[in-house]
Amino acid sequence: MTRVTPFVKWAGGKGQLLAQFEAHLPVRFEAYVEPFVGGGALFFHLYNQGLLDGKRAVLIDQLEELINCYRVVQGQVEELIAELQRHEPYKTDADHYYTVRAWDRRPDYAQRSDVERAARFIFLNRTCYNGLYRVNRRGQFNVPFGRYRNPKVCDVQNLQAASRALQDVTLIVGDFDRCLEVATGADLVYLDPPYHPLSSTANFTSYTSAGFGLEDQRRLARVFEALDRRGCQVMLSNSDTPFVQGLYEGYEQTEFQAIRPISSKGDGRGAISELLITNGYRKVQSG
C-alpha cells in the first residue's frame, strides 16, 4: 500500500509529532472523528498504520474550500490531477499566482467548478508564503507569493493514494461542535484547533474570516467535556499556556516540544511547548 501524506500543507500540522502521539492513542476505538481536519496528518497516519480498517471516519472543518478539496480528492481525483497539471508550468510565476489568487474577488467565482476550486486551493497552498491559509474579513485568500524554487504542485501518486484513503470517509463542512452529532462512546475524537496565542503578537487565527478567539476556546473545552461524559476517547492539541492548562484542569496534560515558526523571520523558528490533553482512556503505552 502506498503511504499517504497530507496533500496540503497546514500551519500547525502534526507531522513532526506523530511518532510521539502513537503512545497516547487508545488501545482500541470504534470510529475516528476529527473536527479541525486541516491537513489531516493524524488521519492519514492512522490509515497508513491500518488502524482505520473497517472503521467509520468523519472529517469536519469549518472551511468550505478545504472540505471541497477533500471531496474532490475523494471522488474526482483524476479530473483534479488534470487541472493541477495546467497550473504546474506556472508554479514559479508570481503573475499567474496573483491571477489565480484573485479568482475569489470576482463575481463569477461561484460558477467555478468544484474541481477548479480544489485545484486552485492546492496550487495556492503549495506556492504561497509558508503554506499558510489565511483570509481577510471578506473571506478572500490573501497570503503573498512564496517564491519557492521548485514547489511540487501536482503529486499524482499521493493524490491517488489520498483518494483511496478517503473513499468511505464522511466529510462535513461545519463548526467543531458538529462532532457531537456523530461521535458516540468508544470513538476516538481528535481536536486540533487554532492554538491559543503564546503572546499578543502571535495571534494567528484567521483561517476563516471570523477567527478563533477566547470564547471559542472556552466553547471547545465544553465540547471536550461533553465528549468525555459521553464516553468518547478524546485527544486535544493546543499551546502550553496557563489559560489552556486551566481550561482542561483535571485532564491528563502531556507536554511536547515542536518546531514552529514563532516569528515572521526565518530565524524565528524554534522549539515551543505544546500540550496533548487526553481524558483518561486506556492508552497504547499502558497496554
Side-chain angles (χ1 to χ4, degrees), residues 27-238:
V27 171
R28 49 182 79 82
F29 58 94
E30 294 296 321
Y32 179 72
V33 181
E34 186 171 352
F36 300 91
V37 65
L42 184 56
F43 165 77
F44 288 119
H45 179 72
L46 294 173
Y47 173 83
N48 290 333
Q49 300 293 321
L51 296 175
L52 297 180
D53 292 352
K55 290 183 171 65
R56 180 172 58 96
V58 182
L59 304 179
I60 304 168
D61 203 282
Q62 191 173 14
L63 184 56
E64 183 178 358
E65 290 292 312
L66 177 63
I67 294 297
N68 174 69
C69 195
Y70 272 85
R71 286 174 175 160
V72 169
V73 171
Q74 181 187 58
Q76 296 176 275
V77 70
E78 296 304 326
E79 295 93 327
L80 174 62
I81 288 167
E83 191 68 25
L84 282 170
Q85 287 171 339
R86 296 187 181 97
H87 290 291
E88 186 84 37
Y90 306 100
K91 61 188 180 183
T92 59
D93 184 335
D95 289 340
H96 181 74
Y97 174 88
Y98 285 111
T99 297
V100 174
R101 196 187 76 165
W103 284 6
D104 63 4
R105 275 84 169 162
R106 295 174 57 87
D108 62 352
Y109 183 59
Q111 278 69 58
R112 295 272 182 181
S113 70
D114 291 345
V115 172
E116 287 179 302
R117 287 167 49 211
R120 172 183 182 267
F121 190 100
I122 292 175
F123 171 72
L124 295 178
N125 176 262
R126 290 289 173 177
T127 56
C128 73
Y129 177 75
N130 266 4
L132 290 174
Y133 189 89
R134 185 188 65 198
V135 296
N136 60 23
R137 290 183 180 180
R138 295 182 179 180
Q140 299 163 338
F141 186 76
N142 67 352
V143 180
F145 185 52
R147 301 192 182 280
Y148 299 106
R149 289 185 179 180
N150 189 30
K152 193 160 193 175
V153 168
C154 186
D155 187 339
V156 173
Q157 285 191 329
N158 192 61
L159 285 167
Q160 291 170 335
S163 181
R164 291 190 291 271
L166 290 166
Q167 281 310 295
D168 297 317
V169 172
T170 300
L171 299 166
I172 297 173
V173 177
D175 188 74
F176 60 83
D177 65 4
R178 292 288 299 277
C179 68
L180 294 172
E181 300 173 13
V182 297
T184 59
D187 289 351
L188 169 59
V189 183
Y190 177 51
L191 302 160
D192 186 23
Y195 279 14
H196 178 245
L198 294 171
S199 68
S200 60
T201 60
N203 190 12
F204 172 68
T205 61
S206 301
Y207 297 103
T208 68
S209 56
F212 199 88
L214 292 180
E215 185 49 44
D216 295 297
Q217 296 284 359
R218 295 186 183 99
R219 189 163 58 91
L220 177 60
R222 293 193 290 270
V223 167
F224 187 106
E225 292 168 3
L227 291 166
D228 178 41
R229 290 193 300 270
R230 189 174 293 185
C232 297
Q233 302 171 100
V234 193
M235 300 171 60
L236 179 142
S237 297
N238 213 321

